[in-house]
Amino acid sequence: MASIRASPETRCLSKPLTRSSGYSARVCHGKRLTARKLRSRDSTFSGTGSLPVNRSRIQRLTVSRTIKAESTEISTTGEIPIDISFVSHKESEYTEITVKAGNRPGVLSAVTSTLKDLGIMVERAEVMTEGELVCDKFYVTDKDGRQIKDTEDISYITVCLETVVGDPSGRSSTLRVRSTSFSPDKERSEFLYNLMDKSIKNDVLSIQESIVNHVEYTIARSRYSFDDFEAYQATAYSVRDRLIESWNDTQTFFRQKDPKRVYYLSMEFLTGRTLLNSLYNLGVKDAYNRALTELGYDLEALVIKERDAALGNGGLGRLAACFLDSMATLSLPAWGYGIRYQYGMFRQSMSDGFQREAPDYWLTFGNPWEIIRPNVTYPVKFYGHVSVQEKDGKTEFKWVPGEQVEAVAYDNPIPGWNTNNVNNLRLWSAKPMREFDLESFHTGDYVSAILSKQRAETLSAVLYPDDRTYQGKELRLKQQHFLVSATLQDILRRYKRDHTTFDEFPNKVALQLNDTHPVIGIPELMRLLIDEQGLGWTDSWDITTKVYAFTNHTVLPEALEKWPVDLVEKLLPRHMQIIYDINWRFLQELRGRFGEDYARMARMSIIEEGDYKTVRMAHLALVCCHTVNGVAAIHSELIKTTIFKEFYDIMPQKFQNKTNGVTQRRWLSFCNPRLGEIITEALGTDAWIGQLDLISGLREFADDEEFQAKWRAAKQANKKRLATTIHQLCGVEVSPNALFDIQVKRIHEYKRQLLNVLGVIYRYKTIKAMTAEEKKAVVPRVVAIGGKAAPGYEMAKGIIKLVNAVSDVVNADPEVGDLLKMVFLPDYNVSLAEVVVPGSDLSQHISTAGTEASGTSNMKFAMNGCLILGTMDGANVELAEEIGEQNMFIFGLTADKVPSQRAIRHTQRVDERFYEVLDMISSGYFGWADFFTPIVDAISGVQQGSDYYLLGSDFEEYLDAQERVDEIYKQQEIWTRMSILSTAGTAKFSSDRTIKEYAAEIWDVKPCKME
C-alpha cells in the first residue's frame, strides 16, 4: 500500500517489495542465476549477519568493469555517477541502503531482485526522484533479521548493486508503456510504473518459475505433483500473464493516441485452441517447449488438454477468428464482440450412424484464457411498453422494460504475430439482475425464486437455438439484442470517457456487422442516442449511418433473416417504433424517386407484407449502412443482380467486394510446421508468415526434384498423423499411402455432400465389378466427410446417416479392402481441422454454382498443398485465377447456366450411372431403404423442382473429374508440382490482405503499433 510522505518527491512502501526468498530465477548482467545455486557454489558466510556472498558471481558481474576497492562510486563517460551508501543506526533494527543513480526504467526492480538473490530481506523502501536522478532508500536486514555491518559483506553487496544499476545491457525484458496522463495523482502513477516498468522475462528459468507459481498459487496444487491437465492450466495462466501485460499496455497506448477504432460484431467466433497459437504469436514457443521439457512435461501432450472454445459453428465464426488474428497482427485498434456461450452449439456424436446432439461442456473446468470483468456490466432490456411525454417542447420516449438481464464482460486477449499489440475479444454472459429471489424462496414459491435466474442464463447458454418454434425464434432474437445492446453501451462508455460531445463519434468508431445477426444494433444505437443521450433524430441517424457497415454472407433469399413484426413489437417495442420510422422515411425517398410505384416499394420495404408481417433485417442494413460488401468476387456480383438488385440500382456506391481470407499463421505455419520449415528454407526467410505475398516465390521450386521430395515427405508425415486420428475417432484403420479425399464443412444440401456420397457408391460399385488384375491399377482412396447438421435440419441429418450407412458396407467388404475406405469424422472443429487440413491430398468444394458466398476451407486446403476438386462457385473462381485452373479439378455448371437448367431438370434423363446409384440406395443395399426414400426423391428429378441443387446434372462431369484425379495421382511428380503451385498461388487468400482492404476502404482505420 503506497503512502505519500511529506516530501512531494518521496513515496513510501509500507510493506516489503519482494517475496520471501526461495527458489527464484533472476537475470543479472546477462547471466541466469538462482538463489539456490547462489547458496551452493563458492559461498562464504561472514559478519554478524551471516550473509551468503557468492564471490565467483561477483567476478563474473564485474568482468567488463573497473572497480576501485576503496570507492563505492563508478563513473563512465556520458553516464550519471552511481552512489551507494550503507547506514546502520543504533536506534533502528534496519540497515539503510541508499542508491543514487540515473533515472532509468528497471532500477527499482534490479535493486530489489539483487538484494533478494543475496539473501537480504527488504522490509521497506522509499522511492524518490530528483529530475534525472533516483534516490531510493531500502531498509534491510540479513536473513536472521539483523543489521548488515560487516565491511566485507557491504563491499560485496556494493559491487553487485553497482553492476546491475549501472549497466542496462543484457536486459531480457522490454520497457512497458507508461500511463500517467489520465491519473490526477502523477506521483502515485510514477511510483506504480516503477514497480512494474519492465515486461515479464521470457528466459526458460523465468518461464518455469511462472508455471510453478501458478501450480501452487492459482491451481493450488503441490509443485511436486501435478498432472498433465494441471500443467496445461498452469502453462496457460503463465502465457496469459504475458498476454495481459501486453493487453494492458496496448489499451493504454490506444487511449493515449485516441485513434479511430473498429468493433467487429459477430454471433460466432470459432477461435479453436489458444495455447499454441499464443505461444507462436508471442514468439516464445521454443522457450516454453524447453521449459516444460525440463519440468518433465511434453508441450504437445498439454496442448490437447485444451478444449476448443465452443463459440461458433462453421465458416462464419472461423472467418471472424481469422479476422481478429489479422487485426492484431496489423496493429489495428480493434475489438471483437460476441457472446460467451456456455454450451456452444452442440457436441456431435454418432449413435447407429445418426447424429446425436449433446451440450458441449467446454467451460466445465473453467477457461484460463478469459478474464472476467465484474466491473463491466450493463443492463439489457426486453418486453414492457414505451411511454411518451412532452418535455420542453420535445417528445421523449421512455422504454419501461418488463424484463432486464445483466450483461457481464469476459475478455479474451488476442495477440498478433511480430507485434507487441494485443487486441481483445469481449464476450458477454447473461446474468440475472438479482442473483436469487430469496423472498419468494422463503414463502415457498421455489419455482419463481429460480425462474428469473434461469431465464437470464438461457440467453447465453446455446449458440443458435432451434428456431422452428416461436419460442426458439424469440430466444434467437433475444440473443441478438443482448449482444448488440451490451456492446453498444460499452462502446458509448469508452467514447464518452474522453469526449464530451458526439461530434467526433463517426471519426472514432467503426462498427462492422458480420451477417444479419447483429443488424438489430441499428435501431438499438438510435434508441441509445435519442432516448438516453438526448440527441435528436437527425443527428442520431447521421451518426448511425456513418458508423455501420454490413457484410452479407449469402446469395440464397431464404437465408436472409426475417423476424415477425409481432415478435419484435412484443420483445423490443421501442425498436419496432424506430424501425417503422426508418422505413417510413425510406419509402418517402423511394416515392420521391419513382413516384407511386407501390410494387417496387413493397419489394424494397424493410417491412414485408403478407399473411403476417416481417422485418427484413438485410433491408434494414442496406438502408442504414454506409457500405455493404460481399465476400468473393462472384458473390459480390451476384448480389448486385439478384437478391439486392433494386438496392444496387439506386445506391451502387455502397456495394464493395472483400474476398475472404484465412490467417496463414494458424492455417499453415502453426498447424503444419513441417511444411512451414520447408517453405522458410526455400524462401530464405520466415517473413512469409506475416507477408504471404512472398509465398509466390515457391513457383521456382515446383520442378525441383529435391524440393519435391521434401514436400512429399512432409505431406506423408501429416497423412500418418491424420490416419492415426481417423482410427482414434472412427475405429477404422486406413493406409497413409492411399489418396486422402476430404470434404469437411457444415452439412447442407447446397454444399452437396450428397454428391460426394453418390460418387463413393459408384466407385465402390465399380471396384466390386473389377477382376483381381484390374484392381491392381486402382488408386487406393480414403474418403472422409465431416461437419454438423443443424438440429432442426432433417435432410442434412439424413445425409449424415447415409454417409455412415455407406461407410459400414464399404469398410466391411473384403473384396474392396484398402482400395476404398469411407469415414464420417464426428464433432468436426478447429483442432480437428488442424490435423485434417495438412494431411489431405484432395479436398472437395462442390456446391452448386451460385450458392456458396465464398467458403474459406478451400483456401486453407490449397494453402497446405492440397488440390481442389470443385465447381466454379464462391472463392473457387478466384482460386482458379491465382493457382491456375490447370492445377485444380474443375467441373460442373457455371452460375449463369444454373437457372435455365433448373427449369428443365424434371424433363431430362441424366447420366445412367446416377440412376444406378440411386437404385442401390432405394433397394436397401445399404439398409434403411425407407428412411432414405425422402433423400432419393429429393434428387431424382422426376417432379418439377426436384433436384434443386442439380446433382444429377453435374454427376457425369463429377465422375470425369474424379477419373482425372486418379490418373494424375499415379504420376507423383506432376501431382507434387501441382501441390507446390497450389500453395504458391494462395498469397491473395491471406486474411491480412482482406483486413487491409476493410481498414482502408470501409473503416478508414489506421495501424496504431506499439513499439
Side-chain angles (χ1 to χ4, degrees):
M1 183 72 179
S3 58
I4 308 300
R5 293 167 62 91
S7 170
E9 289 294 316
T10 304
R11 270 87 59 208
C12 175
L13 196 70
S14 59
K15 61 172 69 174
L17 284 174
T18 60
R19 297 166 292 181
S20 59
S21 59
Y23 186 92
S24 61
R26 299 291 173 191
V27 175
C28 194
H29 197 62
K31 301 290 184 179
R32 209 165 48 240
L33 197 67
T34 69
R36 186 169 67 187
K37 291 177 181 177
L38 184 63
R39 286 164 172 76
S40 62
R41 289 188 297 152
D42 304 319
S43 293
T44 300
F45 296 85
S46 61
T48 59
S50 302
L51 184 70
V53 178
N54 190 315
R55 302 190 182 182
S56 63
R57 179 193 190 204
I58 293 172
Q59 292 171 0
R60 290 196 300 275
L61 292 173
T62 59
V63 68
S64 62
R65 304 179 64 85
T66 303
I67 306 291
K68 294 183 180 180
E70 67 277 9
S71 173
T72 63
E73 185 176 284
I74 298 176
S75 295
T76 57
T77 303
E79 294 182 357
I80 297 172
I82 300 168
D83 182 79
I84 299 172
S85 62
F86 288 72
V87 176
S88 295
H89 298 288
K90 291 182 179 180
E91 64 275 11
S92 173
E93 58 184 309
Y94 307 117
T95 294
E96 298 175 12
I97 302 178
T98 302
V99 178
K100 294 182 179 180
N103 186 8
R104 66 171 180 81
V107 171
L108 180 62
S109 59
V111 172
T112 54
S113 61
T114 301
L115 293 175
K116 173 186 171 181
D117 283 349
L118 292 173
I120 299 170
M121 306 299 293
V122 181
E123 302 296 336
R124 187 163 59 92
E126 295 176 358
V127 184
M128 297 174 285
T129 58
E130 300 173 358
E132 296 184 358
L133 292 174
V134 293
C135 183
D136 298 344
K137 186 175 292 186
F138 302 88
Y139 296 84
V140 304
T141 66
D142 66 11
K143 66 182 183 65
D144 296 320
R146 294 175 295 190
Q147 292 180 333
I148 300 169
K149 296 181 178 180
D150 185 84
T151 56
E152 188 175 3
D153 285 347
I154 291 173
S155 178
Y156 289 149
I157 296 168
T158 300
V159 171
C160 289
L161 293 179
E162 286 170 342
T163 303
V164 297
V165 172
D167 188 0
S169 64
R171 291 179 299 185
S172 63
S173 56
T174 59
L175 304 184
R176 300 195 57 196
V177 174
R178 184 186 297 270
S179 175
T180 58
S181 59
F182 307 111
S183 172
D185 190 343
K186 306 295 184 184
E187 295 170 0
R188 180 174 181 273
S189 294
E190 181 73 13
F191 174 67
L192 293 173
Y193 175 78
N194 287 333
L195 288 177
M196 298 180 68
D197 55 9
K198 285 190 178 182
S199 60
I200 302 171
K201 298 174 183 178
N202 288 322
D203 60 278
V204 171
L205 212 50
S206 295
I207 290 170
Q208 289 171 334
E209 181 186 30
S210 174
I211 292 172
V212 172
N213 279 343
H214 278 296
V215 169
E216 290 230 348
Y217 303 132
T218 305
I219 305 173
R221 289 283 290 159
S222 167
R223 64 184 181 276
Y224 303 109
S225 176
F226 53 102
D227 61 24
D228 278 358
F229 180 68
E230 291 158 345
Y232 154 70
Q233 288 182 304
T235 302
Y237 283 118
S238 169
V239 177
R240 194 187 76 163
D241 289 345
R242 288 150 175 81
L243 291 174
I244 291 174
E245 186 176 71
S246 295
W247 185 93
N248 280 326
D249 287 349
T250 302
Q251 305 317 309
T252 298
F253 185 71
F254 286 170
R255 189 174 180 194
Q256 291 172 347
K257 297 297 182 181
D258 193 25
K260 185 176 185 180
R261 305 189 191 206
V262 60
Y263 299 104
Y264 196 85
L265 281 65
S266 179
M267 289 294 286
E268 296 186 44
F269 288 95
L270 202 58
T271 55
R273 290 171 175 155
T274 299
L275 176 56
L276 207 56
N277 191 69
S278 295
L279 291 176
Y280 275 118
N281 273 345
L282 291 173
V284 294
K285 192 258 184 181
D286 291 341
Y288 266 83
N289 191 29
R290 180 181 166 192
L292 287 165
T293 299
E294 291 181 5
L295 289 173
Y297 295 88
D298 176 32
L299 176 59
E300 288 190 12
L302 303 193
V303 166
I304 63 176
K305 294 296 180 181
E306 180 179 356
R307 290 284 295 270
D308 275 45
L311 300 172
N313 174 37
L316 186 77
R318 187 52 239 171
L319 177 74
C322 284
F323 280 3
L324 291 184
D325 178 271
S326 289
M327 290 178 203
T329 296
L330 297 172
S331 300
L332 294 177
W335 277 31
Y337 279 99
I339 294 178
R340 181 182 179 264
Y341 301 107
Q342 187 174 358
Y343 303 116
M345 187 174 179
F346 60 84
R347 192 169 184 84
Q348 183 192 54
S349 62
M350 295 296 116
S351 176
D352 197 19
F354 290 95
Q355 171 180 289
R356 295 288 181 256
E357 302 103 26
D360 188 346
Y361 296 103
W362 72 287
L363 288 171
T364 298
F365 299 105
N367 176 16
W369 302 105
E370 67 183 10
I371 306 145
I372 184 172
R373 303 290 191 188
N375 61 313
V376 182
T377 64
Y378 301 98
V380 179
K381 305 174 183 178
F382 302 102
Y383 307 109
H385 66 276
V386 179
S387 64
V388 183
Q389 62 183 17
E390 295 292 329
K391 185 176 181 181
D392 299 329
K394 181 181 177 182
T395 303
E396 292 188 350
F397 297 87
K398 182 179 181 181
W399 181 11
V400 182
E403 179 182 304
Q404 286 193 85
V405 300
E406 191 170 44
V408 180
Y410 286 75
D411 286 344
N412 298 261
I414 307 294
W417 184 80
N418 200 28
T419 177
N420 292 322
N421 286 41
V422 172
N423 286 346
N424 192 42
L425 170 59
R426 176 159 284 180
L427 303 175
W428 301 107
S429 182
K431 306 293 182 184
M433 294 297 287
R434 291 188 300 169
E435 185 62 28
F436 192 74
D437 190 347
L438 193 61
E439 182 178 348
S440 295
F441 188 85
H442 284 323
T443 59
D445 191 357
Y446 307 125
V447 175
S448 295
I450 63 172
L451 196 57
S452 62
K453 184 175 188 294
Q454 289 180 335
R455 277 201 305 263
E457 294 177 347
T458 298
L459 267 179
S460 54
V462 179
L463 169 66
Y464 298 148
D466 189 348
D467 62 354
R468 287 177 293 179
T469 65
Y470 183 89
Q471 291 78 10
K473 287 183 173 66
E474 184 177 36
L475 181 53
R476 275 210 188 192
L477 183 55
K478 286 184 77 172
Q479 282 187 333
Q480 293 176 6
H481 173 64
F482 173 75
L483 165 63
V484 300
S485 181
T487 297
L488 292 170
Q489 290 180 73
D490 196 43
I491 293 169
L492 290 173
R493 174 197 57 80
R494 187 173 300 110
Y495 173 82
K496 289 174 64 179
R497 184 177 58 188
D498 300 314
H499 301 85
T500 56
T501 73
F502 283 93
D503 295 346
E504 285 296 299
F505 194 77
N507 298 322
K508 296 299 179 181
V509 172
L511 297 170
Q512 187 68 39
L513 304 175
N514 190 28
D515 214 351
T516 53
H517 309 127
V519 169
I520 195 66
I522 292 172
E524 172 66 359
L525 180 57
M526 290 289 291
R527 183 190 72 83
L528 290 170
L529 292 175
I530 296 171
D531 297 357
E532 298 192 9
Q533 301 301 325
L535 275 66
W537 178 279
T538 301
D539 289 340
S540 299
W541 182 247
D542 182 63
I543 290 171
T544 301
T545 55
K546 286 179 178 177
V547 298
Y548 272 118
F550 167 59
T551 300
N552 169 258
H553 286 277
T554 186
V555 293
L556 305 177
E558 63 271 20
L560 295 175
E561 200 167 44
K562 301 175 186 179
W563 293 114
V565 166
D566 62 346
L567 172 60
V568 181
E569 287 178 329
K570 171 188 171 185
L571 186 65
L572 306 169
R574 179 64 176 129
H575 296 70
M576 196 65 245
Q577 290 179 343
I578 293 171
I579 291 170
Y580 275 134
D581 282 348
I582 293 172
N583 193 50
W584 183 84
R585 286 169 168 81
F586 175 59
L587 293 180
Q588 291 303 106
E589 289 180 20
L590 293 180
R591 179 176 293 165
R593 185 163 185 160
F594 299 106
E596 306 299 316
D597 188 347
Y598 293 112
R600 179 189 292 269
M601 286 192 283
R603 291 192 302 269
M604 299 182 70
S605 173
I606 296 170
I607 307 299
E608 182 181 38
E609 305 290 342
D611 294 337
Y612 61 93
K613 292 182 179 181
T614 60
V615 180
R616 297 162 164 156
M617 303 308 288
H619 288 203
L620 178 58
L622 289 164
V623 170
C624 172
C625 296
H626 61 77
T627 304
V628 177
N629 72 277
V631 290
I634 185 175
H635 170 239
S636 296
E637 290 305 311
L638 281 171
I639 63 176
K640 294 176 187 178
T641 58
T642 56
I643 55 175
F644 299 149
K645 181 182 185 304
E646 291 182 300
F647 287 91
Y648 177 71
D649 289 343
I650 64 171
M651 49 184 76
Q653 74 283 355
K654 285 192 175 186
F655 286 75
Q656 292 188 21
N657 173 60
K658 294 291 171 279
T659 299
N660 284 341
V662 300
T663 167
Q664 67 271 21
R665 288 165 287 280
R666 182 182 285 269
W667 292 113
L668 177 53
S669 177
F670 303 165
C671 78
N672 197 348
R674 294 181 180 89
L675 191 61
E677 290 171 4
I678 293 170
I679 293 171
T680 295
E681 181 184 0
L683 298 179
T685 178
D686 67 354
W688 61 270
I689 301 174
Q691 305 170 50
L692 197 59
D693 291 350
L694 298 174
I695 210 164
S696 60
L698 292 177
R699 289 192 173 103
E700 64 181 88
F701 299 96
D703 295 307
D704 185 293
E705 292 183 4
E706 183 180 353
F707 186 74
Q708 281 197 2
K710 293 179 180 178
W711 194 270
R712 282 193 292 270
K715 176 64 72 174
Q716 190 64 17
N718 288 325
K719 289 174 69 174
K720 288 180 179 178
R721 183 183 177 208
L722 176 54
T724 300
T725 300
I726 289 173
H727 185 247
Q728 291 171 344
L729 292 176
C730 308
V732 178
E733 290 191 13
V734 298
S735 170
N737 297 319
L739 186 157
F740 280 21
D741 177 355
I742 310 294
Q743 187 182 22
V744 281
K745 51 185 74 233
R746 178 168 54 93
I747 307 298
H748 198 288
E749 289 168 273
Y750 85 83
K751 293 179 182 287
R752 300 205 294 191
Q753 287 92 350
L754 188 52
L755 179 60
N756 188 352
V757 179
L758 300 182
V760 170
I761 295 173
Y762 179 75
R763 178 179 291 270
Y764 170 70
K765 178 177 179 292
T766 303
I767 293 173
K768 287 276 288 182
M770 286 180 175
T771 65
E773 192 62 29
E774 288 173 329
K775 288 179 182 178
K776 292 180 181 179
V778 174
V779 174
R781 188 176 295 219
V782 174
V783 179
I785 297 176
K788 293 180 179 179
Y793 193 176
E794 296 301 334
M795 183 63 74
K797 295 171 82 169
I799 292 171
I800 291 176
K801 173 58 182 175
L802 180 61
V803 172
N804 284 305
V806 173
S807 299
D808 289 343
V809 173
V810 170
N811 297 339
D813 194 330
E815 294 183 13
V816 174
D818 285 341
L819 294 181
L820 180 63
K821 296 290 184 185
M822 187 179 192
V823 296
F824 185 87
L825 300 171
D827 206 39
Y828 184 69
N829 58 19
V830 174
S831 295
L832 182 52
E834 290 171 350
V835 177
V836 170
V837 171
S840 303
D841 293 306
L842 181 74
S843 181
Q844 299 197 35
H845 304 270
I846 55 177
S847 55
T848 309
T851 59
E852 184 73 84
S854 171
T856 53
S857 61
N858 46 3
M859 303 171 188
K860 301 178 188 103
F861 282 100
M863 204 173 274
N864 283 268
C866 176
L867 301 190
I868 301 298
L869 170 65
T871 53
M872 291 299 272
D873 193 30
N876 280 354
V877 176
E878 290 162 89
L879 275 168
E881 293 171 356
E882 299 296 319
I883 294 172
E885 194 170 332
Q886 69 276 15
N887 296 312
M888 301 169 67
F889 302 98
I890 300 297
F891 75 96
L893 295 163
T894 53
D896 59 318
K897 299 290 195 303
V898 166
S900 59
Q901 182 62 29
R902 278 195 179 126
I904 62 172
R905 172 67 181 92
H906 67 288
T907 68
Q908 288 185 321
R909 181 85 180 167
V910 297
D911 192 288
E912 287 300 320
R913 293 173 292 184
F914 182 71
Y915 299 109
E916 292 173 8
V917 169
L918 294 187
D919 287 343
M920 289 182 70
I921 299 172
S922 298
S923 68
Y925 192 98
F926 304 102
W928 302 88
D930 292 340
F931 181 81
F932 295 136
T933 297
I935 295 177
V936 174
D937 290 346
I939 61 175
S940 63
V942 175
Q943 298 178 345
Q944 188 167 2
S946 176
D947 197 16
Y948 183 80
Y949 295 107
L950 303 178
L951 282 72
S953 301
D954 279 346
F955 193 64
E956 181 179 5
E957 286 195 29
Y958 176 73
L959 295 183
D960 291 344
Q962 289 282 19
E963 286 184 17
R964 295 199 305 275
V965 170
D966 288 335
E967 289 306 312
I968 293 178
Y969 192 76
K970 294 175 184 177
Q971 306 170 66
Q972 278 294 294
E973 293 78 11
I974 297 176
W975 184 278
T976 305
R977 182 180 188 276
M978 293 170 67
S979 174
I980 295 169
L981 291 174
S982 177
T983 299
T986 55
K988 176 181 179 178
F989 303 102
S990 168
S991 52
D992 296 348
R993 185 268 314 154
T994 312
I995 289 300
K996 285 178 183 177
E997 293 179 2
Y998 272 100
E1001 299 168 16
I1002 296 180
W1003 304 329
D1004 189 27
V1005 170
K1006 306 293 191 298
C1008 190
K1009 187 168 185 177
M1010 193 173 56
E1011 299 298 337

